[in-house]
Amino acid sequence: MLQIQLSEDDFQYDVYTLVKAFFPEEDVKVSIGSKELSLENDKLLQVQYEEKKVTVMIRENGHLLAEGSVSLERTERKFKKNRLKKLLYEQLSKVSGKQLPWGNLTGIRPIKIVMSMLEQGKSRREVERAIRETYCISEEKAKLSLEIAERELAVLQTFPYKEGYSLYVGIPFCPTTCLYCSFTSFPIGIWEKRTGEYLAALYRELEYIAERMKHKRLDSVYIGGGTPTTLSAQELTSLLSFIRQKFDCSSVKEFCVEAGRPDSITKEKLSALKSCGVDRISINPQTMNEKTLQVIGRQHSVSDIIHTYDMAVAAGFPTINMDIILGLPGENLQDLEHTLKEIGKLAPQNLTVHSLALKRAARLNIQKHFYVQNINAAPEEMMKLASEYAKTMEQLPYYLYRQKNMGGNLENVGYAKQGHIGLYNILIMEEKQTIIAAGAGAMTKNVLKSGNIIRVENVKDVANYISRVEEMIARKEEVFKNHESEM
């Protein structure tokens, strides 16, 4: 066990998260105050706050392994947090012998930091120096951050995004729940007789949103999940037609449906999507290795993936994304290279590369004692290989985000061919525009004129959502009424 002792309850989450990045397999316990702790067979990390100084000490079995202090001559919370995290990173690095690619950054949106500096007029060199000094980021990740931030800014400069909004619609059903997944999803086999009830509640919420936002320009629509294509072709047509009937879609720049699982896609469903104006879909194999598909709980084969992709191309979708996950149980660098070669043959316009994350509620994490010995231990080499193959497919990185407990403390990166960048992905990741979300588990983000963000969350459980949809509407309405002039 690794014990963290904070002299006061400040920056607890930041300290805990950074410690877990260095010691992901350790059981970490946090205590507040100066109570004497048992040190038998344990590491102890102490953070001692004083009026204008913070000290970090790391001990093992009572022996001091590392110690350092920094002054806190300024009182701003952000300044204090950055000083503490840099000090903590240096001491943890000394003890562990590790350098993390993203340094002491524990947030999910590193590009947001870089973009903010560029928008302030700082030069590329100034930004790179600042993020490397403040956050201890590697040179490679600093350059990647700058490349993506500049590409995102170029996209955002093409239209007045602050004047519009985007719409997210959640379909929380999946054919099955994958081994690594913790998203809000419910097996369609259990719910297929009640999807009509869910859609009725969803239509009620969408109707409210359409009326409330009728004076705002709609820029993008994203239907995600779960797996939206678990709905029937008739239900998809009904949903998409309802959106087009209730919302003014004349200014929509992008209409995306996350088809996702190949075992949920049929020719009839693809035809329904295309006839209703969907111009982007995602088909997510995660791997092109047959054995791994079985391990992660997919009910389709590699040949099914290829067949589904060919159907989507034949249906005429201009942009198709494919997702892969690095470091799945039992996969090594050669297995990943096979996946990348097979995807290269298909030549999608987008490729999204995910680093495996041990999510708290996922079976992979709950049963990690069974899977952990089969999880690849070299994710950085995998990320580099994926980047190289993306370039051979003429795709460049255009958005990036991170999650807790990611393999190798790495990132998720979206790549795209010229002219196929996903607008919604940029807007949601950089929190530049209000995104109104409908459906079970959906999260609305109201971006105020000040830049502050007010989140409104829907309940996750499908049955609760159906019975409480009026409450979900009331939650949104309360925010609109209280912040009308700021939106």
Side-chain angles (χ1 to χ4, degrees):
M1 178 185 285
L2 195 159
Q3 299 189 65
I4 299 173
Q5 186 179 47
L6 302 164
S7 64
E8 56 188 74
D9 188 5
D10 209 4
F11 305 115
Q12 180 184 156
Y13 175 80
D14 299 284
V15 173
Y16 173 85
T17 308
L18 189 52
V19 168
K20 285 295 288 184
F22 274 96
F23 300 102
E25 300 306 319
E26 287 274 11
D27 183 16
V28 177
K29 182 180 178 181
V30 180
S31 63
I32 310 298
S34 55
K35 180 181 176 181
E36 191 170 329
L37 301 175
S38 169
L39 295 176
E40 198 172 320
N41 300 317
D42 284 348
K43 284 189 179 71
L44 172 64
L45 186 147
Q46 293 174 296
V47 179
Q48 181 69 42
Y49 296 104
E50 298 175 47
E51 186 178 355
K52 291 188 177 181
K53 187 175 80 169
V54 62
T55 300
V56 169
M57 292 172 285
I58 304 175
R59 292 185 169 90
E60 186 168 18
N61 300 325
H63 300 292
L64 186 65
L65 302 180
E67 180 179 9
S69 300
V70 289
S71 64
L72 299 176
E73 67 275 9
R74 286 162 52 188
T75 58
E76 305 98 303
R77 185 170 177 80
K78 184 177 179 181
F79 172 82
K80 291 169 68 176
K81 182 173 77 169
N82 286 341
R83 293 298 294 270
L84 167 62
K85 289 177 72 175
K86 184 174 182 179
L87 171 65
L88 183 59
Y89 178 86
E90 290 167 349
Q91 305 312 309
L92 289 168
S93 183
K94 188 185 299 182
V95 169
S96 66
K98 294 180 184 178
Q99 296 285 326
L100 303 181
W102 287 99
N104 63 54
L105 270 181
T106 51
I108 68 170
R109 296 180 175 85
I111 307 304
K112 194 173 181 180
I113 297 170
V114 177
M115 187 179 289
S116 175
M117 291 182 182
L118 291 173
E119 288 175 325
Q120 291 167 21
K122 295 186 185 297
S123 69
R124 205 176 198 278
R125 181 177 294 181
E126 287 174 323
V127 173
E128 183 175 349
R129 183 173 64 248
I131 60 175
R132 295 199 65 194
E133 288 179 357
T134 304
Y135 305 110
C136 308
I137 298 173
S138 72
E139 181 180 1
E140 179 187 358
K141 298 307 178 189
K143 292 185 183 303
L144 176 63
S145 300
L146 275 159
E147 180 185 357
I148 291 174
E150 289 173 334
R151 193 161 287 127
E152 289 186 347
L153 281 171
V155 171
L156 294 174
Q157 287 167 358
T158 62
F159 75 107
Y161 60 87
K162 291 180 181 179
E163 298 171 13
Y165 77 103
S166 290
L167 175 69
Y168 174 86
V169 181
I171 306 297
F173 308 114
C174 273
T176 58
T177 301
C178 294
L179 180 69
Y180 50 80
C181 186
S182 67
F183 286 136
T184 303
S185 63
F186 298 81
I188 190 64
I190 298 174
W191 282 92
E192 59 187 346
K193 292 183 179 179
R194 297 189 64 189
T195 54
E197 292 177 61
Y198 179 77
L199 288 175
L202 183 63
Y203 292 167
R204 174 70 190 99
E205 189 177 16
L206 286 170
E207 193 167 38
Y208 160 77
I209 293 169
E211 178 62 25
R212 202 57 170 90
M213 302 299 287
K214 65 183 179 182
H215 300 302
K216 275 270 193 178
R217 187 190 67 240
L218 179 59
D219 289 327
S220 70
V221 179
Y222 191 101
I223 300 179
T227 307
T229 43
T230 50
L231 297 177
S232 68
Q234 184 177 358
E235 288 170 327
L236 286 169
T237 299
S238 172
L239 171 61
L240 295 168
S241 299
F242 185 87
I243 291 170
R244 290 201 169 273
Q245 176 190 350
K246 296 294 180 179
F247 292 82
D248 179 1
C249 294
S250 60
S251 298
V252 168
K253 298 177 181 296
E254 179 181 286
F255 202 127
C256 179
V257 173
E258 195 172 308
R261 294 274 293 263
D263 48 335
S264 72
I265 301 170
T266 64
K267 188 175 181 180
E268 291 73 26
K269 292 179 185 181
L270 290 172
S271 177
L273 298 181
K274 190 69 175 64
S275 63
C276 289
V278 173
D279 54 15
R280 294 177 65 92
I281 64 167
S282 188
I283 298 172
N284 303 332
Q286 313 304 12
T287 178
M288 297 294 271
N289 292 288
E290 210 77 58
K291 183 179 178 181
T292 312
L293 287 173
Q294 295 172 19
V295 169
I296 65 177
R298 288 299 186 101
Q299 296 181 333
H300 60 80
S301 65
V302 171
S303 61
D304 292 333
I305 296 168
I306 296 169
H307 175 65
T308 301
Y309 183 86
D310 288 342
M311 282 198 302
V313 171
F317 291 97
T319 302
I320 302 174
N321 171 76
M322 300 190 87
D323 280 16
I324 61 171
I325 298 178
L326 311 185
L328 288 168
E331 290 210 346
N332 57 29
L333 208 58
Q334 289 69 41
D335 295 315
L336 172 61
E337 186 159 25
H338 172 74
T339 289
L340 290 165
K341 284 180 178 177
E342 291 302 303
I343 288 178
K345 293 175 186 176
L346 299 175
Q349 290 76 30
N350 283 190
L351 174 69
T352 306
V353 179
H354 297 269
S355 295
L356 180 67
L358 290 176
K359 299 173 183 176
R360 183 177 57 83
R363 280 189 298 124
L364 178 59
N365 189 42
I366 295 168
Q367 302 170 3
K368 66 181 177 183
H369 60 281
F370 178 77
Y371 292 104
V372 73
Q373 68 271 26
N374 295 317
I375 296 175
N376 188 274
E380 193 162 2
E381 286 80 359
M382 288 185 158
M383 185 59 77
K384 288 178 181 176
L385 184 67
S387 176
E388 290 168 6
Y389 268 85
K391 287 178 184 175
T392 66
M393 290 188 276
E394 300 180 338
Q395 295 189 24
L396 296 173
Y398 79 94
Y399 83 102
L400 179 154
Y401 68 102
R402 303 180 67 229
Q403 295 165 277
K404 290 188 292 185
N405 304 322
M406 296 187 79
N409 193 240
L410 291 173
E411 68 277 346
N412 302 321
V413 183
Y415 296 87
K417 289 184 177 179
Q418 184 71 27
H420 294 277
I421 283 176
L423 175 62
Y424 178 87
N425 290 329
I426 295 174
L427 293 171
I428 188 72
M429 284 306 151
E430 307 316 327
E431 299 180 318
K432 289 288 189 181
Q433 185 185 68
T434 288
I435 294 177
I436 308 294
M443 171 78 80
T444 290
K445 292 183 179 181
N446 295 282
V447 180
L448 307 183
K449 292 175 183 177
S450 64
N452 292 334
I453 297 167
I454 298 178
R455 293 166 172 80
V456 186
E457 188 173 2
N458 282 358
V459 293
K460 295 179 180 180
D461 181 77
V462 173
N464 270 338
Y465 173 78
I466 292 170
S467 64
R468 296 168 60 188
V469 66
E470 294 301 327
E471 180 189 334
M472 303 305 102
I473 292 170
R475 289 180 184 183
K476 289 181 173 64
E477 182 62 19
E478 183 180 5
V479 171
F480 279 116
K481 283 184 176 178
N482 291 340
H483 299 276
E484 195 97 48
S485 62
E486 303 171 71
M487 297 174 71

